[in-house]
């Protein structure tokens, strides 16, 4: 008996094809709405305390985004990507809580920021800024919606996710090292050892590496895994991802620039300060002529209304 093969156009779609089609639909599924809620709702903490909208809200939104997308990850690369965001948010909030509970100075800074915010108007006047923070957090989570459903992310995406963990470790090491040194030598001590030997601001540099690698991993995956109906959804997430990367890069560069100025004012003439600045990389900063010099006694509270929160920018 002769068995004729059916034309390829009449053959049932292969499992991989079905899986990809199903993934394309899921990019517009309730997961997207849940991710938006996880990004936007924590920012509402800013109505309670102005500083919380850019500190605990930042960490909480990042943590929830990673946790929400984690079950939908279809590959190890996607799983590692989502896990990195969850770990980053968890570590950040734990660090912020430690600082707030153990150091009275930062509670005072928090209260000063709130008092200044109230002087500018009622709590509802913060709504535009809080909404912009929520949109930023969504943009930072957007790359997850590109790597999670992809059936075959490229090796480049895997390498970029590894860079994310390098950034995570750099930021964590910077925060931990500075906290230990200042606990021993006092809050006004200049920290030049450990990760600070080569990086003036390892927390900012580490975060910039993490978020840049995350956005690039999403872009690399989108370039090789989506077609048909999935292209439109992927373009939407790519746009949000670019917005998030640009936003966080700007605020981190601004924070590093402001910290550079405060350190120059505070530690000018301190033994070893000039030598340390020559040998340590400041990271990516903004042209200083764009920002007025910080006058008076330099302190973290002068970051009020800016990013990142004073509890971290010091």
């Amino acid at each position: 008996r002769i068995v004729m093969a059916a034309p390829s156009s009449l053959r049932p779609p292969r499992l991989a094809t079905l899986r990809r089609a199903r993934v394309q639909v899921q990019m517009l599924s309730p997961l997207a709405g849940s991710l938006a809620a996880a990004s936007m709702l924590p920012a509402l903490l800013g109505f309670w305390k102005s500083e919380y909208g850019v500190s605990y809200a930042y960490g909480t939104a990042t943590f929830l985004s990673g946790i929400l997308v984690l079950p939908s990850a279809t590959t190890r690369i996607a799983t590692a990507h989502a896990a990195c965001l969850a770990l980053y948010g968890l570590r950040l909030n734990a660090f912020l809580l430690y600082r707030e509970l153990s150091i009275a100075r930062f509670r005072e800074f928090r209260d000063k920021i709130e008092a200044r915010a109230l002087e500018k108007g009622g709590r509802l006047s913060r709504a535009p800024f809080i909404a912009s923070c929520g949109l930023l957090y969504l943009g930072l989570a957007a790359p997850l919606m590109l790597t999670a459903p992809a059936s075959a992310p490229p090796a480049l995406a895997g390498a970029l996710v590894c860079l994310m963990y390098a950034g995570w470790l750099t930021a964590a090491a910077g925060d931990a090292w500075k906290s230990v040194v200042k606990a021993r030598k006092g809050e006004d001590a200049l920290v030049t050892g450990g990760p600070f030997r080569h990086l003036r601001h390892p927390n900012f540099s580490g975060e910039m590496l993490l978020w840049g690698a995350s956005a690039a991993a999403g872009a690399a995956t989108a370039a090789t895994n989506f077609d048909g109906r999935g292209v439109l959804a992927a373009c939407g997430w790519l746009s949000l991802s670019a917005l998030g990367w640009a936003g966080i890069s700007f605020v981190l560069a601004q924070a590093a620039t402001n910290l550079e100025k405060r350190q120059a004012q505070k530690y000018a003439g301190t033994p070893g300060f000039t030598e340390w600045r020559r040998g340590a990389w400041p990271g990516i900063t903004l042209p200083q002529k764009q920002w007025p010099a910080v006058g008076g006694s330099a302190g973290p509270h002068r970051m009020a209304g800016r990013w990142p929160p004073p509890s971290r920018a010091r």
Side-chain angles (χ1 to χ4, degrees), residues 152-301:
L156 176 59
L160 289 166
V161 170
C162 289
L163 284 179
M164 289 179 61
Y165 280 91
W168 182 88
L169 287 171
T170 300
D175 285 339
W177 189 277
K178 178 173 282 189
S179 297
V180 170
V181 171
K182 286 183 176 289
R184 293 176 177 177
K185 298 183 178 181
E187 283 298 312
D188 294 325
L190 174 64
V191 183
T192 60
F196 291 87
R197 181 174 183 178
H198 301 291
L199 298 172
R200 293 187 206 169
H201 319 297
N203 54 339
F204 297 151
S205 297
E207 284 187 53
M208 195 168 288
L209 175 60
L210 185 153
W211 294 121
S214 177
T221 302
T224 58
N225 279 265
F226 299 103
D227 52 24
R229 288 178 298 175
V231 170
L232 292 178
C235 287
W237 290 115
L238 274 173
S239 299
L240 279 172
S241 176
L243 179 65
W245 171 77
I248 197 66
S249 296
F250 175 78
V251 293
L252 289 172
Q254 178 183 355
T257 302
N258 290 332
L259 189 53
E260 282 282 294
K261 294 177 182 178
R262 291 200 303 277
Q263 287 182 337
Q265 293 173 349
K266 185 175 183 178
Y267 298 112
T270 301
F273 177 66
T274 301
E275 292 74 11
W276 170 66
R277 283 175 61 89
R278 289 174 180 171
W281 184 53
I284 298 176
T285 58
L286 300 175
Q288 295 196 20
K289 63 181 180 180
Q290 294 184 9
W291 305 99
V294 181
S297 58
H301 62 280

Side-chain angles (χ1 to χ4, degrees), residues 2-192:
I2 299 176
V3 179
M4 297 182 63
S8 59
S9 61
L10 299 179
R11 293 174 187 169
R14 298 175 62 183
L15 179 59
T17 304
L18 284 173
R19 188 178 186 182
R20 176 176 290 189
R22 184 166 64 250
V23 163
Q24 290 173 347
V25 174
Q26 286 178 345
M27 291 190 71
L28 298 174
S29 73
L31 178 60
S34 298
L35 189 67
S39 302
M40 303 294 289
L41 291 179
L44 298 179
L45 287 171
F47 286 119
W48 176 25
K49 296 286 186 182
S50 181
E51 192 264 349
Y52 287 173
V54 294
S55 57
Y56 291 111
Y58 176 35
T60 301
T62 304
F63 171 74
L64 291 178
S65 297
I67 291 297
L68 279 174
V69 177
L70 197 57
S72 301
T74 56
T75 64
R76 292 181 178 179
I77 291 177
T79 299
H81 191 183
C84 188
L85 262 69
L87 289 172
Y88 175 79
L90 183 64
R91 198 274 317 172
L92 175 59
N93 274 1
F95 173 71
L96 292 172
L97 183 61
Y98 157 74
R99 297 298 304 276
E100 187 170 6
L101 294 179
S102 62
I103 301 178
R105 174 187 291 187
F106 288 91
R107 293 193 295 272
E108 296 173 0
F109 291 152
R110 176 203 63 196
D111 294 339
K112 288 180 179 179
I113 291 171
E114 184 64 18
R116 292 182 180 182
L118 291 174
E119 289 175 359
K120 296 178 180 179
R123 296 182 187 275
L124 290 180
S125 64
R126 307 173 191 176
F129 178 73
I130 289 173
S132 66
C133 288
L135 183 61
L136 173 63
Y137 303 151
L138 179 59
L140 296 177
L144 297 180
M145 295 298 288
L146 296 167
T147 58
S151 57
L156 176 59
L160 289 166
V161 170
C162 289
L163 284 179
M164 289 179 61
Y165 280 91
W168 182 88
L169 287 171
T170 300
D175 285 339
W177 189 277
K178 178 173 282 189
S179 297
V180 170
V181 171
K182 286 183 176 289
R184 293 176 177 177
K185 298 183 178 181
E187 283 298 312
D188 294 325
L190 174 64
V191 183
T192 60

